[in-house]
Amino acid sequence: MSKFVLLNCRLYAVGADLTGASNKIELTSEIEDKETTNYLSAGYKEVIGGLGSAEVSGEGQWEAGDSTKVDDAMWARLGGVGPWTTCPDGAAVGDLAYITQCLTASYALGGAVGDVAPWTGKGASSWPLVRGQMAHPAGTARTSTGTGTGVQLGAVTAGRRLYAALHVLSVAGTTPSITARVESAPSNAFAAPTTQLTFTAATAAGGEALRTTGGAITDTWYRVAWTISGTSPSFMFATSLGIR
């Protein structure tokens, strides 16, 4: 990806697409530096890495009235933990995405007279910030069982993990249910896929983040697949994957 102007960022916070209410998104990932300087340090400070942390912050125009609006979404989840996915330039399958499991740590609204009513919010990580790709676009409704397009993330070496975030943004139908899973394969043919992660069945808007246990995965291709049931079900959801 070459240099570009921020025009098409995307922000998914648990079960809400906050893109249309956001005009600023910032990501921070850092490792504490802990000093280990001693008499053999040759006059230079020495440090080692300590605890890591990440933060996602956003702001924009305030809206309220249903679960898709920023006020309803942030207020309902304040103090709760769930997945946040941010994309710097679009959210099609294969587009760059940053994923983390966040505590919805702060939410503020209101401004001066004459202002377009603003909001600000912050997600504080309880998992690392993971660089990955989108595996399912938010704008495609799914009404039946199926599989998504494969993305090539590479193998997972021992000690690293595959991370996945599911954002169920809207649900319709009678007793609708969706169970999504992440499959891997050695090629994009997915001739005999292996299920690596399975999300809890979802019947309402919400989100979940999962990660593998740290064992090696030799497959290099990944996709999301889903099983849908109910009468006239319809789901809008976004899924992101990454390795760290």
Side-chain angles (χ1 to χ4, degrees), residues 101-112:
Q101 177 92 303
C102 274
L103 168 73
T104 302
S106 68
Y107 173 59
L109 63 150

Side-chain angles (χ1 to χ4, degrees), residues 166 168 171 175-180 199-208 227 229 235:
L166 171 68
V168 179
V171 180
T175 63
S177 178
I178 183 170
T179 302
F199 294 97
T200 303
T203 58
E208 185 180 6
T227 302
S229 62
F235 291 87

Side-chain angles (χ1 to χ4, degrees), residues 182-201:
V182 178
E183 298 178 339
S184 69
S187 76
N188 200 23
F190 285 90
T194 301
T195 298
Q196 299 293 346
L197 297 166
T198 301
F199 294 97
T200 303

Side-chain angles (χ1 to χ4, degrees), residues 36-132:
T36 60
T37 308
N38 56 72
Y39 288 120
L40 292 179
S41 297
Y44 283 86
K45 183 184 289 186
E46 290 189 73
V47 296
I48 59 174
L51 295 175
S53 64
E55 181 178 295
V56 184
S57 60
E59 59 185 70
Q61 300 92 13
W62 180 90
E63 293 180 299
D66 63 61
S67 61
T68 68
K69 307 300 186 184
V70 63
D71 190 68
D72 301 69
M74 293 294 286
W75 188 258
R77 298 181 175 96
L78 189 61
V81 175
W84 288 41
T85 296
T86 305
C87 303
D89 188 25
V93 173
D95 282 351
L96 179 62
Y98 294 89
I99 313 154
T100 190
Q101 177 92 303
C102 274
L103 168 73
T104 302
S106 68
Y107 173 59
L109 63 150
V113 61
D115 287 349
V116 174
W119 71 274
T120 61
K122 181 178 73 174
S125 71
S126 53
W127 285 6
L129 185 65
V130 179
R131 187 178 187 273

Side-chain angles (χ1 to χ4, degrees), residues 30-34 48-53:
E30 62 182 15
I31 304 294
E32 290 182 338
D33 55 291
K34 296 294 187 179
I48 59 174
L51 295 175
S53 64

